Amino acid sequence: MSARRFLGLAGLVAVALLISAPGARADQLSGEDLAAAKAAADDPTLRAELGRFFTQMGGSSHEPSVSVIDESFPVYELSRDFVAGDGAVAGRLAYVAVPVAASDGQTATVWSVRGDDGAWRVGNIASGDRESALARRLPAGATLLHEPQVDAWYALRDGQVTLLDSGASGSATGASASLAEYQKTVSGRYGDMLASSPYAQEGKAGGYNAQVMPRGDGGPAPDAQDTGFVPLLIFGGLLLIGVAGFFLHSKRRVP
C-alpha cells in the first residue's frame, strides 16, 4: 500500500470516529428497541403492580383493569456535556415512555430503561400521561427533550428547540431558540453547578448532578452510558494520521 493511500485511509478512520462520537449525534433507537421497551412495560407481572398503583393513586378499594397502550415515546434529557459547551448533543436518551390506562379513567406512564447489558427493564411508574401528550404534539422528525431542573419540555429539530411546556423556565410556551442560544441559556443556569465546577466541589446544593425526583414512585432514570473512551479513539485516529504523514514526508526525501 502506498504512503499516500495509507494517509487517506487514516484520515477516513479519524473522520469516521469523529462522526460516530456520541457528541456528534443523538442516541438513536431502532424499531426493535422501541418494541423491546414496550414489551418490558407489558409484562404480566407488571400489570398486577400497575393495578395496585392505580388503586393507591385513586384511593379506591377496587382494583381497576389495566391496558398498556400500543405506543412508545423516547424521552431525552438535557446533557451535562451540552451545558458545559463540550460540543455534545443537547439531550441524551433517558427512557422510553409507555402510556398505560386504567378502566376507571386513570392514566400512568411506564418508564422503560435500557441496562448496561442492552436489556430493557422498567425503571419507574409515573402518574399521568404527560410524555405521550407532549410527544403527540411534536412536529415530524422532532425529538422530545426534557430539562428536568425546571421541568421544561421542548421539541428539538433542525438545530432549534421549541418550548412545549414552560415549567418553571420563565419562558413562554411556543418560544424557539437555536441550539447555540439554548446552550448559552442552560450554561447560565447550570454552568457553575457542573461536577467539575468550584460550586459543586464545595458541595453547595449538590451541584448539577443533584438527583431530581420524578413523578410516580420516585425511581430516577439512569445516567447516560459513560463515553470516556471516545476521545481516546479519536486521538488514536489522529495519531495514525501523524505517523502516516511522517512516513510520506520521509519517503519523499529519500534520493
Side-chain angles (χ1 to χ4, degrees), residues 77 95 111 124 126 211-221:
E77 290 195 344
Y95 57 93
W111 295 8
N124 186 39
Q211 187 182 84
V212 178
M213 299 305 290
R215 312 187 323 273
D217 64 5

Side-chain angles (χ1 to χ4, degrees), residues 53 56-57 108-109 111 123-128 213-220:
F53 177 85
Q56 180 181 4
M57 295 298 295
T109 300
W111 295 8
N124 186 39
I125 302 173
S127 59
M213 299 305 290
R215 312 187 323 273
D217 64 5

Side-chain angles (χ1 to χ4, degrees), residues 18-221:
L18 286 166
I19 292 174
S20 62
R25 56 187 173 92
D27 305 313
Q28 298 295 319
L29 293 181
S30 65
E32 290 78 8
D33 285 325
L34 293 175
K38 180 182 177 298
D42 203 9
D43 182 84
T45 304
L46 181 64
R47 284 180 177 266
E49 181 64 31
L50 285 167
R52 290 190 290 271
F53 177 85
F54 282 125
T55 300
Q56 180 181 4
M57 295 298 295
S60 172
S61 59
H62 175 69
E63 186 172 302
S65 60
V66 175
S67 299
V68 177
I69 310 302
D70 189 19
E71 293 179 307
S72 53
F73 304 100
V75 175
Y76 294 79
E77 290 195 344
L78 180 64
S79 164
R80 61 176 62 90
D81 292 334
F82 178 78
V83 173
D86 291 342
V89 293
R92 295 294 185 192
L93 180 68
Y95 57 93
V96 172
V98 180
V100 180
S103 57
D104 62 1
Q106 294 186 79
T107 58
T109 300
V110 174
W111 295 8
S112 284
V113 297
R114 183 165 50 190
D116 292 336
D117 59 357
W120 289 88
R121 301 178 178 86
V122 173
N124 186 39
I125 302 173
S127 59
D129 60 353
R130 192 178 190 187
E131 290 92 338
S132 55
L134 290 168
R136 293 186 185 105
R137 292 168 50 193
L138 290 173
T143 295
L144 182 61
L145 176 65
H146 186 210
E147 187 183 333
Q149 293 78 9
V150 293
D151 197 25
W153 295 80
Y154 303 84
L156 170 61
R157 185 180 70 166
D158 298 335
Q160 294 276 330
V161 290
T162 302
L163 200 53
L164 299 173
D165 186 328
S166 60
S169 67
S171 300
T173 298
S176 294
S178 69
L179 277 179
E181 293 169 334
Y182 181 56
Q183 195 281 326
K184 290 181 181 178
T185 297
V186 295
S187 179
R189 285 176 183 159
Y190 317 119
D192 61 351
M193 301 181 191
L194 293 169
S196 59
S197 69
Y199 182 94
Q201 291 172 354
E202 292 173 7
K204 297 179 180 179
Y208 177 85
N209 295 322
Q211 187 182 84
V212 178
M213 299 305 290
R215 312 187 323 273
D217 64 5

